[in-house]
Amino acid sequence: MTAVLRLENITKRFGSLVANDSVSLSLARGEVLALLGENGAGKTTLMNILFGHYVADEGRVEVEGKPLLPGAPHAAIAAGVGMVHQHFTLADNLTVLDNVVLGTESLWRPWQNRAAARNRLDTMSSEFGLTVDPDARVGDLSVGERQRVEILKALYRDARILIMDEPTAVLTPQETEVLFDTLRRLVERGLSIIFISHKLNEILAISDRVMVLRRGKIVHEMPTSGADRHILAEAMVGHTVTRPKAESMVSGAPVLAMQDVSLRAPTSGVALDHVNLVVHAHEVVGIAGVSGNGQVQLAELISGLCRAESGSMTLFGETIANPTPAKVVKLGVGRIPEDRHAEGVIGEMSIWENMISEDLRALPISRRGLIDHAAARARTEAQIERFDVRCPGPDAETRLLSGGNMQKLILARALSREPGLVLANQPARGLDEGAIAYVHGQLLAARERGAGVLLITEDLEELLALSDRVAVIYQGRLSATLDAKTVTPRQLGLMMAGHDPSEEQTGSGGAAA
Amino acid sequence: MRLELRESPPIWLAGLAPVLAVAAALVLCAGLIVWTGESVLEAYALLVKGAVGSRFALAETLTRATPLILTGLAAAVAFRAKLWNIGGEGQLYMGALAATWLGTGALDLPAFLLIPLLLVAGALAGGSVLIVPALIKNKLRVDEVVTTLLLNFIILLFVNYLLEGPLKDPMSLGWPQAAPIVDEGILPKILAKSRLHLGFVIAIVAAIAIWLVMRFTVWGYEIKAVGLNARGSAFAGINVNGTIIRTALISGGLAGMAGVGEVIGLKGYLTLDLSPGFGYTGIAVAMLAQLHPIGVVVSAFFLAGIYVGADSMGRAVNIPTYLADVLVASSVLAVLVSVMLVRFRIRRG
């Protein structure tokens, strides 16, 4: 086999951090190479060097035997490297055809050859099974379709090497299957693919060979046929980590009850449509769904950031008409927001300032409008200790914390007051295995202590490991809850795509809608 | 070339950067002095002498710094909350108007009551004009840069109308000026044979008070938090709209007090040339101080020194006093660049 791509001894440093430490890899024609590693292991940095976003401090990149000009994305594109980013780089207000053609034509040409471009796109679509309407506005497409446009964009530029950065993060299990079929077809036609992921089962399903990156170094390399979950997980983390699983428990009184709650979204998107939901003490209720189906509104409602237009919400038996964040926190809701950086913390403030942000106007943190620095610091130090937040000290800037430690800070703030209801919105997103195990352990400990936990997640593995009951949200409608012990990922996947669950399994659970 | 965030900028760099930036601005402006054919060193020596070279010069600089400290604080507090108050000039005139309305004979009170009352009234007048843009920003998401800036012109024209009409002093021989403040309302001088008045002390006290509020109170925390991350603040339970309104009151109030100080401390009566743009210069003062309340005192002193010194230099050698504006502008630009260089490092590739 000839190598179409070769990276030799790539080293990239950011200050004192070594993001890539003498990494070498080669990719054969028609091969799918999986690049596995935790967040921060250096996968994305490596691919950004290959694609010319960064310049390596040391080492070289060769495509088809020829050295690649460093730091120049256009050179990478010309050499046949295409990249599908995790966050799509499409213009929502343009059509599919416009998006694909964008950037391939000289700005100085007064007119475009649309007919030729359309023909080429049509042939490519049918050849690779990537069907999308060339005249549809990208803003109107589903996430899976947008990803197809991204792939078409790369193919239109004659990509022979395709880099896929966490391509399944936004897809339902069924959409992932479709993507994998596409990738197999591309490989049959001689393309080579680098598939970046931290999801083990997907890597086992699609790749020919797998390389594991840890702390910037290649620590493991093997044909996928010889790999299994345990080998890969251990190689990725460096030691064995077992995520905790929920033990069965008798649930208690309801802590959250939503009846017929509807809510319009501020923009035209989906909102909540007659949602019924009950969460009891001593139980975890998991909400699955593809992102953008109303999870944001559901979480905002319980966080106190917006209010229902109709229906009622009851917290601990008390009906809440005009929730505010301060009010729900006071009632005993511990909230873990979806976006740590945008909502969870104020990055440029210190750790102690963030630790007290929810108790700003309460004793002992403040008295008559004056903040008691000593009390705030003492509490922060105790929480840092108890929740094992690794940081230089309470005065350090919060933005400098790693994702896992930032999440521990938020857990400390939300859970230390022993809330009766925990709202955990994507609590493990972007965390490494060790931190995920810690977060899951804390959520289960809260459940054991008597809290009800509402877990909103897109990760079915997480959902099924933690939940007692699960429901699926699709276009603002929440399904009946199902028993987490009997439901299968396949059923959930179908429900996430909008299919009626009653054909597959009958609902069971206290809050059937 | 790309910018990379520094993990923790060294302290010495953060302290040295503004000094180096001002030095860079002085070097840049040296080019302009060379162009006029005068000696650079002589010009700068004259400027320094005119600013701080004598008891009189120093008193003049401190007098000039007084309104700049207050308008600088007004901008610094508002900008901390990312409330872009460009309306300091208008709020200053509203404060001056309130002092004129109550201080020209409407109230018959002893000085120890009348002076505080005039200051409070001016602060309320300045604060309430900023409430309007703040409310519109909260309710309708209208950009306050536009509304506060345009309000300046409305207020100035309103003052102009009042000075030509209802408030015009019949004894002014036709000049558009208001009646003089009564004796009980005049701030005492604090340095003999100078124009330096008690307003300077009030401004210093205000700076210390704002520093304490920002550092030790819930209000200060909320102002900072809302400015740094409004969404995160709302999530944590901070009343973001309420904080904006409160910030508007404080900021507008400080600018209003600057106007009161000029009327009852320096001029004695309201005219249309009460402020040569103190409200706008306050923004430069705040930027130069990187929004730190104590830094505002230093940077107001620095800018006042440049203006006063340049006036004196302009009388001695053939250099236009416009040099002061150029110096101030290039100092602010240089400091902004230096702040960026402290936070980021430049790397190739």
Side-chain angles (χ1 to χ4, degrees):
Chain A
M1 275 204 292
T2 50
V4 290
L5 172 72
R6 198 186 289 280
L7 273 70
E8 279 174 26
N9 297 320
I10 300 285
T11 298
K12 175 76 184 171
R13 298 181 198 88
F14 294 105
S16 58
L17 179 84
V18 185
N20 288 144
D21 187 358
S22 192
V23 173
S24 301
L25 70 76
S26 68
L27 180 68
R29 187 175 305 284
E31 185 186 32
V32 179
L33 172 66
L35 207 51
L36 177 68
E38 296 193 315
N39 290 291
K43 297 167 297 192
T44 303
T45 305
L46 190 64
M47 290 305 113
N48 277 330
I49 289 169
L50 167 56
F51 199 62
H53 287 317
Y54 293 155
V55 178
D57 297 327
E58 285 160 38
R60 51 193 258 124
V61 180
E62 273 180 17
V63 179
E64 316 249 356
K66 287 191 283 287
L68 187 67
L69 183 69
H74 63 87
I77 293 171
V81 179
M83 187 154 177
V84 176
H85 291 270
Q86 186 177 356
H87 304 285
F88 302 144
T89 53
L90 298 170
D92 282 352
N93 54 342
L94 298 182
T95 65
V96 170
L97 184 63
D98 288 332
N99 264 288
V100 169
V101 175
L102 196 68
T104 61
E105 296 183 323
S106 164
L107 287 174
W108 301 108
R109 258 176 63 173
W111 59 84
Q112 302 170 308
N113 191 346
R114 272 312 158 89
R118 180 184 299 270
N119 279 338
R120 204 160 148 228
L121 186 64
D122 283 343
T123 356
M124 273 176 13
S125 300
S126 49
E127 189 185 347
F128 297 110
L130 290 158
T131 40
V132 277
D133 172 10
D135 296 314
R137 249 173 38 106
V138 164
D140 300 331
L141 299 181
S142 74
V143 178
E145 287 172 316
R146 285 183 210 201
Q147 192 168 52
R148 266 174 251 159
V149 179
E150 281 279 7
I151 297 172
L152 280 171
K153 234 170 89 179
L155 296 176
Y156 190 86
R157 287 157 178 74
D158 293 318
R160 308 298 301 154
I161 300 163
L162 203 55
I163 305 167
M164 310 277 302
D165 189 1
E166 305 260 0
T168 59
V170 289
L171 302 182
T172 62
Q174 280 75 14
E175 282 176 320
T176 303
E177 271 311 311
V178 174
L179 171 70
F180 283 4
D181 284 342
T182 306
L183 294 185
R184 287 188 194 104
R185 215 183 286 210
L186 293 176
V187 168
E188 271 169 31
R189 285 178 176 57
L191 267 81
S192 310
I193 295 173
I194 297 181
F195 186 93
I196 303 174
S197 183
H198 60 255
K199 292 187 183 166
L200 302 175
N201 47 357
E202 288 173 2
I203 281 177
L204 292 169
I206 188 71
S207 69
D208 301 310
R209 193 156 57 95
V210 52
M211 290 177 98
V212 183
L213 265 175
R214 189 167 79 227
R215 294 196 185 145
K217 284 193 186 133
I218 300 277
V219 291
H220 215 75
E221 185 181 351
M222 65 169 97
T224 310
S225 52
D228 66 27
R229 292 182 60 89
H230 297 288
I231 299 177
L232 292 181
E234 203 176 321
M236 181 162 78
V237 186
H239 52 91
T240 40
V241 171
T242 39
R243 294 191 189 180
K245 272 189 85 86
E247 314 224 334
S248 64
M249 191 175 274
V250 181
S251 57
V255 289
L256 166 73
M258 293 174 98
Q259 256 177 16
D260 235 15
V261 167
S262 294
L263 175 64
R264 260 196 308 268
T267 50
S268 60
V270 210
L272 299 181
D273 186 359
H274 298 282
V275 166
N276 289 287
L277 175 69
V278 179
V279 179
H280 301 92
H282 286 299
E283 77 166 347
V284 178
V285 175
I287 308 285
V290 178
S291 79
N293 274 290
Q295 292 99 322
V296 170
Q297 284 75 23
L298 183 64
E300 283 192 348
L301 193 63
I302 300 167
S303 302
L305 289 164
C306 64
R307 74 165 97 144
E309 281 160 13
S310 64
S312 72
M313 178 164 90
T314 314
L315 281 171
F316 314 108
E318 189 176 325
T319 304
I320 310 292
N322 295 315
T324 65
K327 213 187 274 180
V328 299
V329 166
K330 211 168 170 194
L331 275 170
V333 181
R335 307 160 308 151
I336 299 159
E338 176 181 10
D339 189 333
R340 282 188 283 284
H341 298 270
E343 279 193 329
V345 299
I346 295 160
E348 276 148 325
M349 289 177 103
S350 66
I351 292 173
W352 74 261
E353 284 171 306
N354 275 290
M355 197 69 95
I356 63 162
S357 62
E358 289 181 353
D359 312 83
L360 211 50
R361 286 170 181 275
L363 285 169
I365 297 303
S366 74
R367 195 184 297 267
R368 287 195 204 95
L370 289 179
I371 295 174
D372 184 342
H373 283 226
R377 196 172 295 268
R379 171 181 301 182
T380 306
E381 270 161 11
Q383 307 289 35
I384 285 175
E385 177 88 26
R386 184 173 151 206
F387 285 83
D388 189 29
V389 184
R390 309 271 168 84
C391 63
D395 288 308
E397 251 187 287
T398 308
R399 67 180 173 92
L400 300 175
L401 293 178
S402 71
N405 283 307
M406 201 181 276
Q407 193 72 330
K408 284 180 182 174
L409 191 166
I410 294 167
L411 283 175
R413 189 175 70 196
L415 299 181
S416 61
R417 67 171 95 240
E418 310 214 327
L421 173 68
V422 177
L423 168 70
N425 193 357
Q426 319 289 353
R429 180 182 279 176
L431 300 184
D432 59 44
E433 276 296 324
I436 291 174
Y438 186 86
V439 170
H440 286 181
Q442 288 293 329
L443 292 178
L444 291 177
R447 162 180 177 265
E448 186 139 343
R449 210 194 59 237
V453 179
L454 184 67
L455 170 70
I456 302 176
T457 180
E458 285 158 31
D459 182 345
L460 295 183
E461 202 180 326
E462 172 176 59
L463 184 88
L464 294 174
L466 297 181
S467 306
D468 298 293
R469 292 186 294 133
V470 297
V472 173
I473 190 163
Y474 177 73
Q475 293 190 344
R477 285 188 299 276
L478 193 65
S479 73
T481 52
L482 309 167
D483 189 334
K485 280 195 283 299
T486 55
V487 73
T488 64
R490 195 187 129 70
Q491 283 172 340
L492 289 173
L494 285 170
M495 289 165 74
M496 282 160 75
H499 294 276
D500 188 356
S502 55
E503 294 157 21
E504 303 256 340
Q505 189 196 344
T506 45
S508 66
Chain B
M1 214 173 75
R2 45 191 292 126
L3 294 172
E4 234 174 66
L5 205 60
R6 288 181 207 257
E7 292 258 308
S8 46
I11 302 264
W12 62 266
L13 191 60
L16 199 60
V19 179
L20 289 178
V22 169
L26 290 173
V27 172
L28 273 174
C29 291
L32 289 177
I33 299 173
V34 170
W35 198 8
T36 65
E38 302 287 343
S39 150
V40 173
L41 285 179
E42 193 199 340
Y44 280 150
L46 280 168
L47 193 147
V48 173
K49 195 162 161 251
V52 294
S54 64
R55 185 173 169 283
F56 171 78
L58 192 61
E60 273 302 293
T61 297
L62 293 179
T63 309
R64 180 72 78 102
T66 301
L68 290 180
I69 293 173
L70 290 167
T71 55
L73 287 173
V77 170
F79 289 6
R80 273 267 181 244
K82 291 219 165 72
L83 171 70
W84 304 112
N85 174 18
I86 315 296
E89 189 76 1
Q91 292 139 26
L92 181 148
Y93 273 102
M94 284 307 285
L97 209 52
T100 303
W101 179 49
L102 294 174
T104 49
L107 294 173
D108 189 14
L109 291 170
F112 74 94
L113 284 178
L114 186 58
I115 289 173
L117 193 107
L118 293 181
L119 284 165
V120 170
L124 283 176
S128 53
V129 257
L130 186 52
I131 290 287
V132 178
L135 278 173
I136 300 177
K137 172 190 165 83
N138 282 350
K139 298 287 172 208
L140 303 171
R141 306 278 139 214
V142 175
D143 191 339
E144 73 278 15
V145 172
V146 178
T147 48
T148 55
L149 177 66
L150 293 182
L151 256 179
N152 285 342
F153 303 107
I154 295 173
I155 292 168
L156 242 80
L157 288 169
F158 178 59
V159 172
N160 198 349
Y161 154 76
L162 290 176
L163 290 182
E164 295 283 1
L167 281 185
K168 189 171 182 177
D169 182 8
M171 315 292 282
S172 69
L173 305 172
W175 291 102
Q177 64 183 45
I181 301 292
V182 295
D183 287 348
E184 290 79 12
I186 295 289
L187 286 173
K189 297 282 180 279
I190 55 172
L191 193 66
K193 289 186 208 137
S194 79
R195 301 201 296 164
L196 190 62
H197 54 88
L198 193 64
F200 178 70
V201 179
I202 294 171
I204 299 286
V205 170
I208 295 170
I210 293 296
W211 178 70
L212 291 173
V213 166
M214 293 306 286
R215 194 171 155 75
F216 292 105
T217 69
V218 173
W219 284 16
Y221 179 108
E222 290 178 340
I223 290 171
K224 276 186 288 183
V226 166
L228 290 170
N229 180 351
R231 217 178 125 197
S233 302
F235 183 85
I238 293 172
N239 181 347
V240 174
N241 283 355
T243 302
I244 294 285
I245 297 292
R246 203 176 296 135
T247 310
L249 261 177
I250 297 174
S251 169
L254 287 162
M257 274 170 58
V260 179
E262 290 302 281
V263 168
I264 69 173
L266 193 63
K267 294 276 166 67
Y269 51 86
L270 176 61
T271 58
L272 253 197
D273 60 357
L274 181 75
S275 156
F278 289 137
Y280 299 107
T281 311
I283 296 167
V285 169
M287 296 307 261
L288 209 54
Q290 295 173 42
L291 309 187
H292 192 289
I294 304 302
V296 161
V297 175
V298 178
S299 83
F301 178 74
F302 174 69
L303 292 201
I306 287 180
Y307 281 115
V308 172
D311 277 344
S312 145
M313 175 191 75
R315 285 189 293 271
V317 291
N318 189 23
I319 300 172
T321 53
Y322 292 122
L323 185 72
D325 289 318
V326 181
L327 251 177
V328 168
S330 45
S331 299
V332 172
L333 283 177
V335 166
L336 291 181
V337 171
S338 80
V339 168
M340 189 197 71
L341 290 180
V342 170
R343 274 205 75 182
F344 299 91
R345 75 166 67 80
I346 297 179
R347 281 174 76 97
R348 270 200 42 77

